[in-house]
């Protein structure tokens, strides 16, 4: 099942990166929860696919440009760890920003039921019971 979960998450990221919003949301459970570490600027808990969309809008708010790409997917049973690269440019400063952000997707029956977002690789791996 874990390989299938990686394929589901990859399909959603591919859709997101290509601008296909309905494709990006297709495999999300309607009652999913997204938890963002309080160490990140938009820390908190978001509910449902609409909450994930709100998180995306909140995150992008301070930037003129924001591009997020999935760089690495790690199988972890019912979970998939995704290292993403966030490239952005500050709205006021114009300064370029580039940082890794780590997502942990939890899937049940082919649907994402939870996404946890971290700014640290070790935190993300520990969340799924893995260590470096």
């Amino acid at each position: 099942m874990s390989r299938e979960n990686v394929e589901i998450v990859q399909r959603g990221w591919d859709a997101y990166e290509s601008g296909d919003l309905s494709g990006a949301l297709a495999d999300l459970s309607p009652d999913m929860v997204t938890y963002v570490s309080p160490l990140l600027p938009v820390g908190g808990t978001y509910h449902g696919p609409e909450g994930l969309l709100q998180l995306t809008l909140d995150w992008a708010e301070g930037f003129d440009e924001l591009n997020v790409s999935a760089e690495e997917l790690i199988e972890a049973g019912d979970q998939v760890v995704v290292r993403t690269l966030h490239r952005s440019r500050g709205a006021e400063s114009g300064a370029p920003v580039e940082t890794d952000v780590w997502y942990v997707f939890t899937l049940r029956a082919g649907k994402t039921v939870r996404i946890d977002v971290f700014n640290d690789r070790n935190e993300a791996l520990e969340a799924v019971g893995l260590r470096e």
Side-chain angles (χ1 to χ4, degrees):
M1 184 62 139
S2 61
R3 185 74 218 146
E4 181 182 333
N5 287 340
V6 169
E7 291 169 3
I8 290 167
V9 172
Q10 183 69 62
R11 181 175 58 230
W13 271 109
D14 290 346
Y16 170 77
E17 289 180 26
S18 70
D20 175 9
L21 187 58
S22 61
L25 300 176
D27 295 316
L28 303 179
S29 172
D31 59 348
M32 69 170 288
V33 172
T34 303
Y35 170 78
V36 181
S37 167
L39 299 175
L40 292 166
V42 291
T45 303
Y46 298 79
H47 297 276
E50 51 286 330
L52 182 60
L53 291 174
Q54 186 61 54
L55 165 62
T56 304
L57 292 172
D58 291 349
W59 199 301
E61 191 171 283
F63 302 104
D64 280 338
E65 302 172 13
L66 175 62
N67 295 303
V68 181
S69 59
E71 301 293 316
E72 176 183 10
L73 286 85
I74 302 168
E75 294 181 38
D78 289 339
Q79 296 175 300
V80 178
V81 179
V82 182
R83 178 178 67 88
T84 64
L85 179 60
H86 286 227
R87 291 183 188 100
S88 52
R89 183 166 305 283
E92 290 189 26
S93 68
V97 178
E98 189 171 294
T99 189
D100 285 341
V101 177
W102 296 84
Y103 294 75
V104 174
F105 286 73
T106 302
L107 293 96
R108 302 272 186 272
K111 295 285 187 185
T112 296
V113 297
R114 183 177 176 98
I115 301 173
D116 293 279
V117 186
F118 303 95
N119 66 339
D120 181 81
R121 175 185 177 89
N122 290 331
E123 284 182 277
L125 293 177
E126 286 178 20
V128 299
L130 298 175
R131 294 179 188 251
E132 285 212 79

